[in-house]
């Protein structure tokens, strides 16, 4: 699933507990701690629970 275009489910929070904007992201990887690393661009990335991701085009 790495490198795929994903979106976050409503109410998704990052590893610090802050809400993540519902926007298109790219899944970079899932790190050793189990967090999914998602990025909007080279400067804005978040660590989120992989269960809070949806791949574009899948229901």
């Amino acid at each position: 699933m790495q490198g795929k275009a994903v979106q976050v489910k409503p109410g998704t929070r990052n590893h610090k507990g802050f809400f993540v904007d519902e926007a298109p992201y790219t899944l970079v990887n899932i790190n050793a701690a189990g967090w999914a690393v998602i990025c909007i661009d080279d400067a804005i990335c978040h660590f989120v629970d992989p269960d809070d991701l949806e791949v574009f085009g899948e229901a």
Side-chain angles (χ1 to χ4, degrees), residues 3-54:
K4 288 202 174 190
V6 296
Q7 59 189 18
V8 294
K9 295 178 182 175
T12 296
R13 294 177 183 255
N14 67 14
H15 68 295
K16 293 183 178 181
F18 294 101
F19 286 105
V20 175
D21 290 333
E22 293 178 42
Y25 292 91
T26 299
L27 176 65
V28 176
N29 67 17
I30 297 179
N31 67 19
W35 292 102
V37 181
I38 58 172
C39 298
I40 290 178
D41 56 28
D42 290 339
I44 302 173
C45 295
H46 299 283
F47 292 91
V48 298
D49 185 335
D51 291 337
D52 289 333
L53 300 179
E54 295 177 341

